[in-house]
Amino acid sequence: MKSRVEQLAEDVKDEDRRDDLRPVRVVIDPRQALGNIQKELIEEMAGALGRAERRVKDAIAELARLEPGTQAHESQRQLALRLRHDLVVHRDALRFPPDPKPDDEYPIPRRASR
């Protein structure tokens, strides 16, 4: 069974006449070694995952600067929760093993009681 990368590379190579693949061919040379394409894709996936993690950490840092119980704090808390969830989904989509304790790695305080 072919990997998705192999299938995409083959599709681009075999479909020289398809105009809809022109933007792909600008970025990926179908004659380029498959290993190079895979390396580029892995680097891009790693970079995207790193950016997602950075967004979570930045949101948590901003949350720590806000006064608990305020609307700003709760809004930032909701953003941090969503970003952490997005990171978990991103890791899952890349087939990383599940993080057993994302709450410990990226702690977000409970809603402040009023």
Side-chain angles (χ1 to χ4, degrees):
M1 178 173 251
K2 291 181 183 176
S3 74
R4 183 68 179 133
V5 172
E6 291 169 326
Q7 184 62 48
L8 287 170
E10 188 174 287
D11 289 349
V12 171
K13 184 185 343 177
D14 292 341
E15 302 288 337
D16 287 334
R17 298 188 218 303
R18 287 183 54 190
D19 288 336
D20 60 321
L21 291 176
R22 187 173 295 130
V24 175
R25 282 192 218 98
V26 169
V27 178
I28 298 175
D29 180 358
R31 296 173 302 270
Q32 186 179 14
L34 182 60
N36 290 341
I37 294 171
Q38 288 174 323
K39 181 179 179 240
E40 284 183 39
L41 287 172
I42 289 168
E43 288 172 352
E44 184 57 38
M45 289 186 298
L49 187 60
R51 288 187 297 276
E53 181 180 38
R54 216 169 11 262
R55 282 192 294 272
V56 172
K57 288 181 176 183
D58 290 348
I60 292 171
E62 178 63 24
L63 181 61
R65 286 190 279 277
L66 297 171
E67 181 69 30
T70 64
Q71 181 59 39
H73 184 271
E74 183 56 27
S75 294
Q76 186 65 25
R77 183 181 162 284
Q78 291 299 319
L79 174 64
L81 287 168
R82 184 180 58 80
L83 291 173
R84 184 176 67 188
H85 173 76
D86 291 350
L87 177 60
V88 169
V89 169
H90 194 152
R91 286 177 51 90
D92 185 52
L94 293 176
R95 298 192 176 140
F96 276 77
D99 188 343
K101 297 184 180 180
D103 298 342
D104 293 345
E105 182 75 24
Y106 309 103
I108 299 171
R110 292 184 174 272
R111 178 177 286 147
S113 58
R114 295 179 187 198

